[in-house]
Amino acid sequence: MTVTIAEELLLLAYSEEEGRQLIGGIQLDPALGGAILAELAAAGRVELADDKVTVKDPAPLGDEELDAALARMAEDGKARKPAWWVQRLQSGKLRWRLLTRLAESGVLAEERRKVLGIFPTTRWPESDPQVEADVRERVTAVLAGAEPDQRTATLIAIMYAAKLDLKAFPGADRGRVKEIAEGEWAGQAVAKTISAITAAVILTTTTAATVAATS
């Protein structure tokens, strides 16, 4: 089945059997917002001009989440910093919608239960492990030295920004991860846009963590 880069990121961000998050929402949610924005850039729908993101082509891609984000940006009609859009696109609601969509398609299972019989919690173990296995195979090959395609390079860059690579691929060479994250594996314009988006994810994550620590 076809999944978005944000959904690939989400599959890697949850443990396969227990369905628990490997990183906190402070890191994961901006990464998902960044992944949506990065996929729009990779598809030629948005671009970076004077360090700001603008809509290049408002034509829908046929994915509900991507098209909703693109329509929102087109309606706004302003050139804005990548961090501005990462902040607006990220949310726990986006994460929940993507998890629910993966569950409805049979990739994940939604398991609701109560901790100590009182506190509700939801786990998302895998129902169809092949989807994540395919993603892992692509990423592992690239981290081992294979030439990355644009999609895999973008996924690795977003993982790096959220520090998810440390959890999802603990044995990976950090230097290789950084090389992919900072490399120009797409056309120059697209690579520049995605680089700005990953920097925005780092900024948003760091700012949120600082606010949480001082609250």
Side-chain angles (χ1 to χ4, degrees), residues 66-159:
L66 295 174
D67 291 345
L70 181 60
R72 182 177 177 183
M73 297 176 72
E75 183 178 357
D76 179 71
K78 297 179 181 178
R80 298 190 184 273
K81 294 283 188 180
W84 195 92
W85 277 115
V86 168
Q87 182 63 39
R88 296 310 184 280
L89 295 176
Q90 66 127 2
S91 70
K93 291 181 179 179
L94 170 62
R95 180 179 6 130
W96 187 270
R97 289 197 305 270
L98 292 175
L99 286 167
T100 300
R101 193 162 79 167
L102 287 168
E104 290 174 346
S105 64
V107 178
L108 299 178
E110 181 180 355
E111 295 183 355
R112 299 190 181 191
R113 59 182 64 187
K114 290 185 177 181
V115 178
L116 302 177
I118 302 175
F119 306 104
T121 184
T122 305
R123 297 195 306 175
W124 305 88
E126 292 186 353
S127 292
D128 180 3
Q130 189 58 50
V131 179
E132 182 182 347
D134 290 344
V135 176
R136 282 188 169 278
E137 183 178 359
R138 282 175 27 229
V139 173
T140 300
V142 169
L143 295 181
E147 188 77 5
D149 59 82
Q150 178 177 284
R151 183 183 185 85
T152 306
T154 301
L155 175 60
I156 291 173
I158 298 294
M159 277 201 302

